[in-house]
Amino acid sequence: MATARWRYAVPNAFTAASLVFAVLAIEAAIAGRVVAAAWWGLYGTLTDRLDGAAAKLLHGASEFGVQFDSLADLAIFGVVPPAVFYAFYARHPVLGWSAAPARAA
């Protein structure tokens, strides 16, 4: 019985890592550390690939895992890229345009 639990825990651990990397990427983007945010986003993407592979290999798919993976995908693919782009263009305006609010002189 304990072995069956590990079958589900391993893919969910990869999903949790992906979610943690997404949070770290968002935090780095807010702090203006664009390169670090991009790397955290890349790590999150890689662990997202690993959770699906682990679930297939261990036959550890569950309804919770599907929903948990969807939440992690929302964070890593839906929130991180706009946060990184916003942080980049806030520091490097292109042609006088910036996504950041205007600064008072």
Side-chain angles (χ1 to χ4, degrees), residues 2-78:
T3 307
R5 289 185 188 154
W6 284 107
R7 192 173 60 169
Y8 300 109
V10 172
N12 287 336
F14 281 121
T15 302
S18 180
L19 195 55
V20 168
F21 290 146
V23 170
L24 290 170
I26 294 164
E27 186 276 328
I30 290 170
R33 298 187 318 269
V34 179
V35 174
W39 277 109
W40 287 122
L42 179 64
Y43 297 150
T45 302
L46 294 174
T47 53
D48 181 66
R49 299 286 291 174
L50 290 174
D51 70 359
K56 278 186 179 180
L57 182 67
L58 299 173
H59 303 289
S62 67
E63 186 60 33
F64 172 79
V66 170
Q67 298 302 321
F68 192 38
D69 185 55
S70 293
L71 175 65
D73 288 348
L74 174 67
I76 204 69
F77 298 118

